[in-house]
Amino acid sequence: MTILVAYAPRPEGQVALEKGIEIATSRGERLVVVNASVGNGKEDAALADTLDVERVEKLLAATGLDAQFKQFVRGQSAVAEIESMVESLPVSLLIIGLRKRSPVGKLIMGSVAQDLLLSVSCPVLAVKAA
């Protein structure tokens, strides 16, 4: 089975990554960390840059786990990319990071976390940054 972590280079993404490593280690499961962006030419704060990708890959290599980092920038939303991975892999758990947002902020900006909670077919663990 596979633990899937939805990663963004923010504190909530880091907490999700740490929790994914912890759970994959305790269960002896494979770990896949995914970072996705539509890639429409606009700057996307959710897209990990080269330095962050290298940092995460080094961290995963140091764990000794069967772990992999995947980054997708191919015109689909992060939700669509993660849904696709959940359907194509034997995912036992999806881990997502949450950040505090006002109700108006959620209404105007939407919520990737909410969309994932409502759409994926596997259990979801939502973690918060301190």
Side-chain angles (χ1 to χ4, degrees):
M1 297 298 286
T2 301
I3 304 291
L4 184 64
V5 173
Y7 177 78
R10 297 188 290 251
E12 59 273 14
Q14 185 61 38
V15 170
L17 175 61
E18 291 166 2
K19 184 56 76 173
I21 291 169
E22 176 188 325
I23 293 173
T25 299
S26 70
R27 292 184 180 183
E29 292 187 31
R30 180 174 182 235
L31 178 64
V32 176
V33 179
V34 64
N35 176 247
S37 172
V38 173
N40 59 5
K42 295 180 182 176
E43 182 132 349
D44 185 353
L47 184 63
D49 64 19
T50 304
L51 291 175
D52 199 48
V53 170
E54 289 173 0
R55 182 189 63 79
V56 171
E57 287 176 336
K58 284 181 185 177
L59 178 63
L60 294 176
T63 66
L65 291 167
D66 177 7
Q68 184 177 25
F69 182 87
K70 292 181 176 263
Q71 186 173 53
F72 300 110
V73 185
R74 52 188 186 190
Q76 295 188 58
S77 70
V79 172
E81 294 288 5
I82 293 166
E83 286 173 336
S84 177
M85 293 203 66
V86 167
E87 296 307 316
S88 66
L89 297 172
V91 175
S92 62
L93 181 66
L94 169 62
I95 302 174
I96 60 175
L98 297 179
R99 61 186 166 133
K100 186 166 177 69
R101 295 182 53 179
S102 70
V104 172
K106 290 178 198 171
L107 178 65
I108 294 171
M109 300 296 285
S111 171
V112 170
Q114 181 178 355
D115 290 347
L116 287 170
L117 284 167
L118 296 173
S119 65
V120 297
S121 59
C122 67
V124 178
L125 173 62
V127 294
K128 287 185 180 180

